[in-house]
Amino acid sequence: MERELYGREAIFGNDGLAARLTGLTPYGSARVAYEHRDDPPVAVLTGGRGMGKTAALKQLRHLYREITPVALVDCEAVAPPADPGPGWTPVTGALPELATQLTAKVRAARPVQFPRLSLGLVAVASISWTREDETRAQRDLQSLGPVLATVDTRGDAATGWVTKVLTKLAASAFDSVVPLAGMVAEATIETVLEETFSRFQRRSADWYGSYPHAGGNGRIGLRQLAVDFERGGDLRRRAEDHLVLALVADLVRAYGGLARGARRGRPVLLLDNAHTLLGRQLVEPVLRQRASGVRDQIALFASSRARDHEGLSHAVRRRLPEVAHGSHWVRGSEVTSGILAVELTALSPAHVQAAFDRHDPVGRTPAGLARGVHRLTGGRPLGVALLAQAAGEALVPGASQPGSLVPGALLGRTVELREGRAPVRVADELLAQLLPGQQLDVLSVLAAAHGEDSARLLATARLRGRSLDGDVALQVRDVLRAQDWPVGPEYFVADPLLRALLLHRLRFQDDDHPYYAVWRAVHETLRTAYAPGGRCPSVPHRLHQELVLGRTRDCVTHLRERFTDGDVTAWLGSLRFIASAPYPRPPGHAGPDPRRAVALGREAAGSLPDGETGLAGLGERAVELQLQLRRLLHAVWLLSDPLAVPDEEVIDKMAHELRQLSGRHPTGNSVLWDAATHWPRDIRAWRPLSMPPGSSDTGGPGTGGSGQRRGNGGSDA
């Protein structure tokens, strides 16, 4: 069963992109006018991991597979068989898979046959056959059985060929001038044409007469194709391109001639992860042929994780909502202008709520949880889907108290993705899909870093010996960039969801409650580095680390001592940056967030010693200010936490404290008053706290807010 999709109406609507390129509506298979009748673009869906590219392609296959020929291949997943012959490459591995899927029965149309592709694949498969090794030939031909069956439905047709091919080869006069691969290919093709192809199908060989140096003779072209394939390099690439076009030619033939009118719409090719080398090898021959004026009438959809891939250099770019009713694509002079690159957009809060409603139709999830998940995931569909499912399963009787559900709690829950598969932890499954095959223990450590300098510091201190090839942090940086994940100066792992998942793993990976040795060691390393005399001293960064470790006294004391400084905007920036620290959340905590009681001034009297609050030795007014700032720090800390859900009472309390502080400040009362007005608006709108308050600039750590930062600190951040 395919995953429920949200926010993709621009593709799947009855007049959406898929309908206009295929000529058929996805639901009901009604005819639709082609947007580009004579020259359709290649539609490439772009977006990072978890943005729903694969889900969209699978949905296209699911919706069209009974009404028009459709095939889906993941270009990252094409793997060689157990014993591949010299004729196997990713291209010759993918083409039979595409052809086999395209022959599936659809409504009111005969199965598509692939005689041209079959001949080409047999020719290149034969390059290693010898008179002494009949087993190799048997194995290679049998591996091509599914695609050959599109021409000859006898399941054992290939079995008798090998002996006849090798007998024909033995009877041939050996000519040292002619490459052996060409001789074997020629003998093979003659046998296949005689034994399998009907009188009408034999004309398919003539198509290869256009191959270089064939002189219009199809059999010579097939022989030269095999020779070029064996020689490798650019010649092999040329042969592979021709094989791709052979599949296209077979599809064109199925939709032309006497069969015209027997088929509706266009066949659909779906290539996932087409940014890979194999993807380009499958797409570029089609693009070049279309650019030359040869039309094929195939609806080709692909996906690319890299939005700025060089293969998209001249593509016409659109965001998903812009193609809902028309793409306005026009071919340019460059070959890659034949691509319509559609950037998949994040889900809106309404889409996230719809996902939650699907898993919780009676509406038991806490108010604000769906919006909290939207803030955490940024609307990334994969994260939304798993967290919504976790929320729905958490609400079964006896599973959890609804009021304790926050985004951070959902990360630790397990969900059952498929029947027969063991339940998986949400955070683990997300990391496995967002960072497949990576060293998560290394990434989890470096996720605690603010920027590249602190990442290298952590790598030196905590990951010594993990690599013999050089700087671990720079290697991880390159891995993240290669996976199209942002690496920023504020946070080394700049994507909020990915960083939250890695920090969650760092917190709980050693199952060391209540000490969390790995978590503590990593953050103590950073705290020491930021302390006076450390490698990169910074008061805001040190206090940020203190708060990560659950120590609030020095943070509150610093804010009190600097409160009367002239630059109150910088003071607010420090407060916001310090309070952006990840919260050391206890596992499985089902009650209210402990920060809430502090923010609301409801701590039990005398519950903490003066050493924890920093009240020892202070005068009455200083004590009052210290407690007020303690409440404010905990309020901002809680309200800024992407793993929590904002609390209206805490929002009101934060505004109250800021207004009270406005009356106490000798010069900055206006800025503090603005913060009391605008910061609650920011929280209620699920925005980062603005710096200066009310601006669109998110500011930097402990600054007045110039620069595009998110309260996470400095050039080293």
Side-chain angles (χ1 to χ4, degrees):
M1 181 178 178
E2 304 297 343
R3 190 172 86 203
E4 183 78 16
L5 301 186
Y6 301 93
R8 300 299 181 244
E9 297 82 6
I11 298 174
F12 300 110
N14 280 337
D15 63 344
L17 181 65
R20 300 194 309 273
L21 291 184
T22 63
L24 299 169
T25 60
Y27 305 96
S29 68
R31 291 184 184 272
V32 175
Y34 293 119
E35 182 180 5
H36 305 285
R37 172 171 291 279
D38 299 321
D39 184 18
V42 173
V44 178
L45 307 180
T46 66
R49 288 196 183 276
M51 283 302 295
K53 304 180 302 299
T54 299
L57 295 183
K58 287 183 176 180
Q59 183 76 338
L60 285 170
R61 178 184 62 182
H62 174 71
L63 293 172
Y64 281 104
R65 62 187 174 187
E66 293 183 359
I67 57 179
T68 193
V70 61
L72 168 63
V73 163
D74 183 350
C75 297
E76 280 189 334
V78 175
D83 183 24
W88 191 94
T89 66
V91 172
T92 61
L95 289 174
E97 176 62 27
L98 288 169
T100 302
Q101 292 184 43
L102 288 164
T103 59
K105 182 176 177 57
V106 297
R107 299 175 193 168
R110 293 175 299 169
V112 179
Q113 295 183 323
F114 290 92
R116 295 162 186 80
L117 179 61
S118 297
L119 288 172
L121 290 173
V122 168
V124 299
S126 69
I127 61 175
S128 65
W129 299 352
T130 65
R131 285 169 276 217
E132 293 77 27
D133 187 5
E134 183 173 329
T135 303
R136 172 82 266 168
Q138 288 276 12
R139 191 159 48 237
D140 288 346
L141 275 177
Q142 287 169 358
S143 70
L144 292 175
V147 68
L148 295 173
T150 70
V151 181
D152 188 338
T153 56
R154 294 174 299 163
D156 60 347
T159 306
W161 294 348
V162 174
T163 301
K164 295 180 180 180
V165 168
L166 299 181
T167 300
K168 190 180 292 287
L169 182 63
S172 303
F174 184 76
D175 185 345
S176 60
V177 177
V178 179
L180 182 60
M183 294 177 58
V184 177
E186 189 169 355
T188 302
I189 294 306
E190 288 180 1
T191 302
V192 170
L193 287 172
E194 292 169 1
E195 296 293 325
T196 301
F197 282 47
S198 69
R199 180 167 57 90
F200 299 105
Q201 290 171 331
R202 289 172 193 169
R203 296 179 56 188
S204 300
D206 296 341
W207 181 82
Y208 285 90
S210 63
Y211 194 79
H213 311 300
N217 187 313
R219 300 195 184 196
I220 295 177
L222 281 161
R223 183 178 68 188
Q224 187 62 44
L225 177 88
V227 172
D228 285 353
F229 191 93
E230 184 187 46
R231 292 169 70 182
D234 289 342
L235 293 177
R236 173 172 290 181
R237 180 65 181 269
R238 180 171 74 183
E240 289 176 328
D241 287 353
H242 217 71
L243 290 174
V244 173
L245 296 180
L247 179 140
V248 172
D250 285 330
L251 279 175
V252 169
R253 174 60 184 167
Y255 277 76
L258 295 177
R260 193 176 188 87
R263 297 182 183 275
R264 302 164 65 244
R266 290 170 173 158
V268 181
L269 287 182
L270 307 169
L271 303 178
D272 201 8
N273 293 304
H275 56 278
T276 59
L277 176 59
L278 172 58
R280 295 189 65 171
Q281 288 179 288
L282 294 174
V283 172
E284 288 178 357
V286 179
L287 287 173
R288 287 193 293 268
Q289 180 168 269
R290 289 181 177 182
S292 71
V294 179
R295 308 306 185 210
D296 55 61
Q297 297 300 307
I298 296 171
L300 201 165
F301 295 84
S303 73
S304 173
R305 191 163 61 243
R307 182 184 183 278
D308 297 321
H309 194 282
E310 61 181 350
L312 303 174
S313 55
H314 298 282
V316 174
R317 296 183 180 273
R318 299 284 186 266
R319 297 178 75 250
L320 181 61
E322 297 171 341
V323 301
H325 306 291
S327 66
H328 309 292
W329 170 84
V330 178
R331 180 182 295 281
S333 59
E334 300 289 341
V335 170
T336 55
S337 69
I339 294 175
L340 171 65
V342 180
E343 182 181 359
L344 295 184
T345 49
L347 302 185
S348 69
H351 295 138
V352 178
Q353 186 62 61
F356 271 72
D357 291 344
R358 176 172 179 260
H359 291 282
D360 175 33
V362 297
R364 292 175 295 172
T365 50
L369 180 59
R371 283 301 302 265
V373 165
H374 181 266
R375 177 173 67 173
L376 172 63
T377 62
R380 195 177 293 270
L382 175 64
V384 170
L386 283 174
L387 290 167
Q389 182 180 347
E393 294 181 8
L395 292 167
V396 299
S400 178
Q401 294 298 319
S404 68
L405 285 183
V406 294
L410 296 178
L411 294 179
R413 298 198 64 85
T414 58
V415 294
E416 184 176 335
L417 297 182
R418 285 185 292 276
E419 189 175 347
R421 178 183 173 185
V424 295
R425 195 177 301 274
V426 170
D428 296 341
E429 180 65 17
L430 281 171
L431 281 175
Q433 294 197 43
L434 297 177
L435 284 171
Q438 301 304 319
Q439 297 182 11
L440 296 180
D441 53 344
V442 172
L443 278 157
S444 297
V445 170
L446 298 185
H450 292 285
E452 188 174 299
D453 289 345
S454 57
R456 298 180 72 185
L457 182 152
L458 277 177
T460 300
R462 311 304 316 173
L463 301 172
R464 192 182 302 274
R466 293 305 297 260
S467 173
L468 302 177
D469 300 325
D471 195 309
V472 175
L474 296 184
Q475 292 176 21
V476 170
R477 181 199 66 185
D478 291 347
V479 166
L480 289 171
R481 288 176 175 172
Q483 298 284 324
D484 209 40
W485 290 109
V487 178
E490 296 87 9
Y491 287 117
F492 183 68
V493 179
D495 182 82
L497 174 61
L498 187 61
R499 184 172 66 254
L501 292 169
L502 289 169
L503 289 176
H504 184 274
R505 187 181 188 279
L506 180 68
R507 178 71 170 168
F508 300 119
Q509 69 185 43
D510 54 1
D511 195 22
D512 191 25
H513 174 72
Y515 301 106
Y516 307 108
V518 174
W519 170 275
R520 186 166 299 278
V522 168
H523 288 290
E524 286 283 8
T525 298
L526 288 175
R527 187 194 67 80
T528 301
Y530 291 131
R535 286 182 53 180
C536 40
S538 166
V539 173
H541 286 83
R542 178 180 66 81
L543 295 174
H544 179 98
Q545 295 304 318
E546 293 279 5
L547 203 56
V548 171
L549 293 164
R551 305 166 188 162
T552 62
R553 183 194 63 189
D554 288 354
C555 303
V556 177
T557 299
H558 170 78
L559 292 170
R560 176 180 56 79
E561 291 174 345
R562 294 299 181 89
F563 178 66
T564 56
D565 287 356
D567 191 351
V568 73
T569 302
W571 182 88
L572 282 172
S574 291
L575 166 63
R576 188 189 61 167
F577 172 63
I578 294 167
S580 68
Y583 176 60
R585 189 179 309 279
H589 180 74
D593 193 303
R595 292 171 291 182
R596 186 176 189 274
V598 182
L600 296 176
R602 296 176 183 171
E603 284 180 299
S607 61
L608 291 174
D610 288 348
E612 280 292 321
T613 59
L615 299 178
L618 297 182
E620 183 179 347
R621 288 182 59 82
V623 166
E624 182 183 351
L625 181 58
Q626 183 87 358
L627 290 175
Q628 189 173 13
L629 292 175
R630 177 176 168 81
R631 294 192 296 270
L632 178 62
L633 175 67
H634 280 78
V636 177
W637 193 14
L638 175 58
L639 295 173
S640 302
D641 188 351
L643 300 182
V645 173
D647 182 298
E648 279 296 325
E649 194 173 359
V650 176
I651 294 174
D652 291 339
K653 185 65 172 176
M654 177 187 70
H656 171 76
E657 300 292 1
L658 286 167
R659 290 193 183 95
Q660 292 292 308
L661 290 172
S662 173
R664 300 185 64 148
H665 200 280
T667 60
N669 57 319
S670 176
V671 176
L672 289 164
W673 189 269
D674 287 344
T677 301
H678 293 293
W679 279 13
R681 291 180 186 173
D682 292 335
I683 295 295
R684 291 185 175 109
W686 302 86
R687 296 190 299 258
L689 298 180
S690 52
M691 283 300 301
S695 72
S696 58
D697 186 359
T698 57
T703 72
S706 61
Q708 297 297 316
R709 307 204 185 279
R710 304 209 308 181
N712 39 5
S715 59
D716 172 65

